[in-house]
PDB file of all heavy atoms in Angstrom:
ATOM      1  N   GLU Y  28     -16.568  -3.576  11.051  1.00 98.00           N
ATOM      2  CA  GLU Y  28     -16.201  -4.472   9.885  1.00 98.00           C
ATOM      3  C   GLU Y  28     -16.363  -3.608   8.515  1.00 98.00           C
ATOM      4  O   GLU Y  28     -15.529  -3.728   7.660  1.00 98.00           O
ATOM      5  CB  GLU Y  28     -17.084  -5.639   9.807  1.00 98.00           C
ATOM      6  CG  GLU Y  28     -16.601  -6.767  10.728  1.00 98.00           C
ATOM      7  CD  GLU Y  28     -17.533  -7.997  10.673  1.00 98.00           C
ATOM      8  OE1 GLU Y  28     -18.238  -8.132   9.714  1.00 98.00           O
ATOM      9  OE2 GLU Y  28     -17.591  -8.653  11.709  1.00 98.00           O
ATOM     10  N   PHE Y  38      -7.773   2.744   0.286  1.00 98.00           N
ATOM     11  CA  PHE Y  38      -6.254   2.880   0.138  1.00 98.00           C
ATOM     12  C   PHE Y  38      -5.829   2.081  -1.002  1.00 98.00           C
ATOM     13  O   PHE Y  38      -4.879   2.412  -1.703  1.00 98.00           O
ATOM     14  CB  PHE Y  38      -5.593   2.494   1.464  1.00 98.00           C
ATOM     15  CG  PHE Y  38      -5.769   3.515   2.506  1.00 98.00           C
ATOM     16  CD1 PHE Y  38      -6.495   3.309   3.647  1.00 98.00           C
ATOM     17  CD2 PHE Y  38      -5.101   4.684   2.373  1.00 98.00           C
ATOM     18  CE1 PHE Y  38      -6.655   4.302   4.693  1.00 98.00           C
ATOM     19  CE2 PHE Y  38      -5.284   5.682   3.363  1.00 98.00           C
ATOM     20  CZ  PHE Y  38      -6.031   5.543   4.505  1.00 98.00           C
ATOM     21  N   ILE Y  78     -16.826  -1.179  30.372  1.00 92.00           N
ATOM     22  CA  ILE Y  78     -17.262  -1.671  29.084  1.00 92.00           C
ATOM     23  C   ILE Y  78     -18.033  -0.603  28.267  1.00 92.00           C
ATOM     24  O   ILE Y  78     -17.959  -0.453  26.997  1.00 92.00           O
ATOM     25  CB  ILE Y  78     -17.960  -2.955  29.098  1.00 92.00           C
ATOM     26  CG1 ILE Y  78     -18.067  -3.719  27.821  1.00 92.00           C
ATOM     27  CG2 ILE Y  78     -19.401  -2.801  29.800  1.00 92.00           C
ATOM     28  CD1 ILE Y  78     -17.788  -5.218  27.921  1.00 92.00           C
ATOM     29  N   ILE Y  93      -0.928   0.174   6.714  1.00 98.00           N
ATOM     30  CA  ILE Y  93      -0.453   0.662   5.441  1.00 98.00           C
ATOM     31  C   ILE Y  93       1.005   0.450   5.326  1.00 98.00           C
ATOM     32  O   ILE Y  93       1.821   0.986   6.161  1.00 98.00           O
ATOM     33  CB  ILE Y  93      -0.789   2.081   5.275  1.00 98.00           C
ATOM     34  CG1 ILE Y  93      -2.347   2.253   5.317  1.00 98.00           C
ATOM     35  CG2 ILE Y  93      -0.258   2.694   3.921  1.00 98.00           C
ATOM     36  CD1 ILE Y  93      -2.831   3.677   5.302  1.00 98.00           C
ATOM     37  N   LYS Y 109      -4.434  13.321   5.693  1.00 97.00           N
ATOM     38  CA  LYS Y 109      -4.798  14.594   6.287  1.00 97.00           C
ATOM     39  C   LYS Y 109      -5.641  15.409   5.278  1.00 97.00           C
ATOM     40  O   LYS Y 109      -6.467  16.277   5.712  1.00 97.00           O
ATOM     41  CB  LYS Y 109      -3.588  15.366   6.800  1.00 97.00           C
ATOM     42  CG  LYS Y 109      -2.981  14.709   8.047  1.00 97.00           C
ATOM     43  CD  LYS Y 109      -1.722  15.400   8.450  1.00 97.00           C
ATOM     44  CE  LYS Y 109      -1.097  14.552   9.540  1.00 97.00           C
ATOM     45  NZ  LYS Y 109       0.256  14.913   9.820  1.00 97.00           N
ATOM     46  N   ARG Y 111      -7.829  14.345   3.170  1.00 97.00           N
ATOM     47  CA  ARG Y 111      -9.115  13.759   2.767  1.00 97.00           C
ATOM     48  C   ARG Y 111     -10.274  14.380   3.572  1.00 97.00           C
ATOM     49  O   ARG Y 111     -10.105  14.641   4.697  1.00 97.00           O
ATOM     50  CB  ARG Y 111      -9.077  12.262   2.896  1.00 97.00           C
ATOM     51  CG  ARG Y 111      -8.110  11.602   1.938  1.00 97.00           C
ATOM     52  CD  ARG Y 111      -8.212  10.160   2.134  1.00 97.00           C
ATOM     53  NE  ARG Y 111      -9.535   9.602   1.663  1.00 97.00           N
ATOM     54  CZ  ARG Y 111      -9.715   9.019   0.528  1.00 97.00           C
ATOM     55  NH1 ARG Y 111      -8.702   8.745  -0.242  1.00 97.00           N
ATOM     56  NH2 ARG Y 111     -10.936   8.611   0.177  1.00 97.00           N
ATOM     57  N   MET Y 114     -11.915  11.421   6.138  1.00 98.00           N
ATOM     58  CA  MET Y 114     -11.132  10.892   7.364  1.00 98.00           C
ATOM     59  C   MET Y 114     -10.731  12.148   8.087  1.00 98.00           C
ATOM     60  O   MET Y 114     -10.070  13.043   7.620  1.00 98.00           O
ATOM     61  CB  MET Y 114      -9.942  10.139   6.869  1.00 98.00           C
ATOM     62  CG  MET Y 114     -10.237   8.918   6.024  1.00 98.00           C
ATOM     63  SD  MET Y 114      -8.792   8.067   5.378  1.00 98.00           S
ATOM     64  CE  MET Y 114      -9.519   7.207   4.033  1.00 98.00           C
ATOM     65  N   SER Y 129      10.659  -0.987  23.069  1.00 89.00           N
ATOM     66  CA  SER Y 129      10.795  -2.336  22.523  1.00 89.00           C
ATOM     67  C   SER Y 129      11.582  -2.325  21.272  1.00 89.00           C
ATOM     68  O   SER Y 129      12.072  -3.380  20.823  1.00 89.00           O
ATOM     69  CB  SER Y 129       9.368  -2.855  22.214  1.00 89.00           C
ATOM     70  OG  SER Y 129       8.696  -1.968  21.330  1.00 89.00           O
ATOM     71  N   TYR Y 134       4.143   4.748  12.325  1.00 98.00           N
ATOM     72  CA  TYR Y 134       3.533   6.084  12.458  1.00 98.00           C
ATOM     73  C   TYR Y 134       1.991   5.760  12.554  1.00 98.00           C
ATOM     74  O   TYR Y 134       1.438   5.113  11.764  1.00 98.00           O
ATOM     75  CB  TYR Y 134       3.802   6.946  11.247  1.00 98.00           C
ATOM     76  CG  TYR Y 134       3.398   8.363  11.397  1.00 98.00           C
ATOM     77  CD1 TYR Y 134       4.222   9.270  12.102  1.00 98.00           C
ATOM     78  CD2 TYR Y 134       2.171   8.873  10.927  1.00 98.00           C
ATOM     79  CE1 TYR Y 134       3.908  10.602  12.220  1.00 98.00           C
ATOM     80  CE2 TYR Y 134       1.830  10.144  11.088  1.00 98.00           C
ATOM     81  CZ  TYR Y 134       2.689  10.998  11.738  1.00 98.00           C
ATOM     82  OH  TYR Y 134       2.337  12.317  12.005  1.00 98.00           O
ATOM     83  N   GLU Y 154      -7.664   3.073  13.640  1.00 98.00           N
ATOM     84  CA  GLU Y 154      -6.243   3.290  13.817  1.00 98.00           C
ATOM     85  C   GLU Y 154      -5.527   2.953  12.471  1.00 98.00           C
ATOM     86  O   GLU Y 154      -5.741   1.872  11.992  1.00 98.00           O
ATOM     87  CB  GLU Y 154      -5.641   2.449  14.904  1.00 98.00           C
ATOM     88  CG  GLU Y 154      -4.153   2.709  15.104  1.00 98.00           C
ATOM     89  CD  GLU Y 154      -3.475   1.829  16.104  1.00 98.00           C
ATOM     90  OE1 GLU Y 154      -3.380   0.559  15.785  1.00 98.00           O
ATOM     91  OE2 GLU Y 154      -3.187   2.265  17.187  1.00 98.00           O
ATOM     92  N   ALA Y 185      15.071 -10.362  24.080  1.00 91.00           N
ATOM     93  CA  ALA Y 185      14.802  -8.942  23.988  1.00 91.00           C
ATOM     94  C   ALA Y 185      16.017  -8.246  23.386  1.00 91.00           C
ATOM     95  O   ALA Y 185      15.890  -7.354  22.526  1.00 91.00           O
ATOM     96  CB  ALA Y 185      14.513  -8.365  25.413  1.00 91.00           C
ATOM     97  N   ARG Y 190      18.732  -5.550  18.705  1.00 94.00           N
ATOM     98  CA  ARG Y 190      19.729  -5.577  17.654  1.00 94.00           C
ATOM     99  C   ARG Y 190      19.126  -5.661  16.248  1.00 94.00           C
ATOM    100  O   ARG Y 190      19.540  -5.046  15.339  1.00 94.00           O
ATOM    101  CB  ARG Y 190      20.746  -6.701  17.798  1.00 94.00           C
ATOM    102  CG  ARG Y 190      21.938  -6.253  18.668  1.00 94.00           C
ATOM    103  CD  ARG Y 190      23.032  -7.294  18.651  1.00 94.00           C
ATOM    104  NE  ARG Y 190      22.961  -8.189  19.684  1.00 94.00           N
ATOM    105  CZ  ARG Y 190      23.426  -9.420  19.723  1.00 94.00           C
ATOM    106  NH1 ARG Y 190      24.089  -9.840  18.663  1.00 94.00           N
ATOM    107  NH2 ARG Y 190      23.287 -10.210  20.733  1.00 94.00           N
ATOM    108  N   ALA Y 191      18.009  -6.473  16.261  1.00 95.00           N
ATOM    109  CA  ALA Y 191      17.340  -6.607  14.947  1.00 95.00           C
ATOM    110  C   ALA Y 191      16.640  -5.313  14.547  1.00 95.00           C
ATOM    111  O   ALA Y 191      16.669  -4.868  13.341  1.00 95.00           O
ATOM    112  CB  ALA Y 191      16.263  -7.742  15.001  1.00 95.00           C
ATOM    113  N   ASP Y 211      13.031   4.959 -10.127  1.00 88.00           N
ATOM    114  CA  ASP Y 211      13.251   5.024 -11.587  1.00 88.00           C
ATOM    115  C   ASP Y 211      13.123   3.726 -12.265  1.00 88.00           C
ATOM    116  O   ASP Y 211      12.493   3.503 -13.282  1.00 88.00           O
ATOM    117  CB  ASP Y 211      14.617   5.614 -11.906  1.00 88.00           C
ATOM    118  CG  ASP Y 211      14.637   7.167 -11.812  1.00 88.00           C
ATOM    119  OD1 ASP Y 211      13.553   7.652 -11.595  1.00 88.00           O
ATOM    120  OD2 ASP Y 211      15.738   7.718 -11.872  1.00 88.00           O
ATOM    121  N   LEU Y 218       6.306   1.267 -16.959  1.00 88.00           N
ATOM    122  CA  LEU Y 218       6.021   1.941 -18.228  1.00 88.00           C
ATOM    123  C   LEU Y 218       6.149   0.913 -19.359  1.00 88.00           C
ATOM    124  O   LEU Y 218       5.263   0.807 -20.299  1.00 88.00           O
ATOM    125  CB  LEU Y 218       7.037   3.068 -18.430  1.00 88.00           C
ATOM    126  CG  LEU Y 218       6.868   3.918 -19.642  1.00 88.00           C
ATOM    127  CD1 LEU Y 218       5.548   4.631 -19.651  1.00 88.00           C
ATOM    128  CD2 LEU Y 218       8.002   4.966 -19.759  1.00 88.00           C
ATOM    129  N   VAL Y 223       3.815  -2.324 -23.680  1.00 95.00           N
ATOM    130  CA  VAL Y 223       3.650  -3.611 -24.328  1.00 95.00           C
ATOM    131  C   VAL Y 223       2.223  -4.031 -24.370  1.00 95.00           C
ATOM    132  O   VAL Y 223       1.634  -4.454 -25.412  1.00 95.00           O
ATOM    133  CB  VAL Y 223       4.490  -4.706 -23.646  1.00 95.00           C
ATOM    134  CG1 VAL Y 223       4.167  -6.133 -24.076  1.00 95.00           C
ATOM    135  CG2 VAL Y 223       6.033  -4.451 -23.876  1.00 95.00           C
ATOM    136  N   LEU Y 227       0.139  -4.615 -27.896  1.00 96.00           N
ATOM    137  CA  LEU Y 227      -0.499  -5.913 -28.192  1.00 96.00           C
ATOM    138  C   LEU Y 227      -2.064  -5.704 -28.455  1.00 96.00           C
ATOM    139  O   LEU Y 227      -2.607  -6.322 -29.339  1.00 96.00           O
ATOM    140  CB  LEU Y 227      -0.282  -6.875 -27.072  1.00 96.00           C
ATOM    141  CG  LEU Y 227       1.110  -7.321 -27.009  1.00 96.00           C
ATOM    142  CD1 LEU Y 227       1.403  -8.318 -25.908  1.00 96.00           C
ATOM    143  CD2 LEU Y 227       1.553  -8.056 -28.335  1.00 96.00           C
ATOM    144  N   GLN Y 246       3.650  -7.342 -36.320  1.00 94.00           N
ATOM    145  CA  GLN Y 246       3.900  -8.177 -35.233  1.00 94.00           C
ATOM    146  C   GLN Y 246       5.307  -8.613 -35.068  1.00 94.00           C
ATOM    147  O   GLN Y 246       5.966  -8.605 -34.071  1.00 94.00           O
ATOM    148  CB  GLN Y 246       2.971  -9.375 -35.329  1.00 94.00           C
ATOM    149  CG  GLN Y 246       2.816 -10.089 -34.018  1.00 94.00           C
ATOM    150  CD  GLN Y 246       1.613 -11.170 -34.168  1.00 94.00           C
ATOM    151  OE1 GLN Y 246       0.533 -10.740 -34.363  1.00 94.00           O
ATOM    152  NE2 GLN Y 246       1.945 -12.391 -34.107  1.00 94.00           N
ATOM    153  N   ASP Y 247       5.844  -9.076 -36.305  1.00 94.00           N
ATOM    154  CA  ASP Y 247       7.354  -9.444 -36.249  1.00 94.00           C
ATOM    155  C   ASP Y 247       8.244  -8.303 -35.918  1.00 94.00           C
ATOM    156  O   ASP Y 247       9.193  -8.501 -35.187  1.00 94.00           O
ATOM    157  CB  ASP Y 247       7.636 -10.026 -37.683  1.00 94.00           C
ATOM    158  CG  ASP Y 247       6.983 -11.358 -37.864  1.00 94.00           C
ATOM    159  OD1 ASP Y 247       6.502 -11.956 -36.976  1.00 94.00           O
ATOM    160  OD2 ASP Y 247       6.952 -11.796 -39.127  1.00 94.00           O
ATOM    161  N   LEU Y 250       8.151  -7.877 -32.219  1.00 95.00           N
ATOM    162  CA  LEU Y 250       8.956  -8.887 -31.502  1.00 95.00           C
ATOM    163  C   LEU Y 250      10.453  -8.554 -31.587  1.00 95.00           C
ATOM    164  O   LEU Y 250      11.209  -8.645 -30.655  1.00 95.00           O
ATOM    165  CB  LEU Y 250       8.674 -10.266 -32.058  1.00 95.00           C
ATOM    166  CG  LEU Y 250       7.292 -10.760 -31.709  1.00 95.00           C
ATOM    167  CD1 LEU Y 250       6.971 -12.145 -32.424  1.00 95.00           C
ATOM    168  CD2 LEU Y 250       6.973 -10.891 -30.240  1.00 95.00           C
TER     169      LEU Y 250
END
Side-chain angles (χ1 to χ4, degrees):
E28 275 177 28
F38 287 111
I78 199 138
I93 300 174
K109 287 174 192 171
R111 294 186 68 106
M114 301 175 199
S129 58
Y134 192 83
E154 181 187 71
R190 267 192 270 157
D211 277 353
L218 181 64
V223 169
L227 289 175
Q246 197 170 294
D247 289 346
L250 291 175

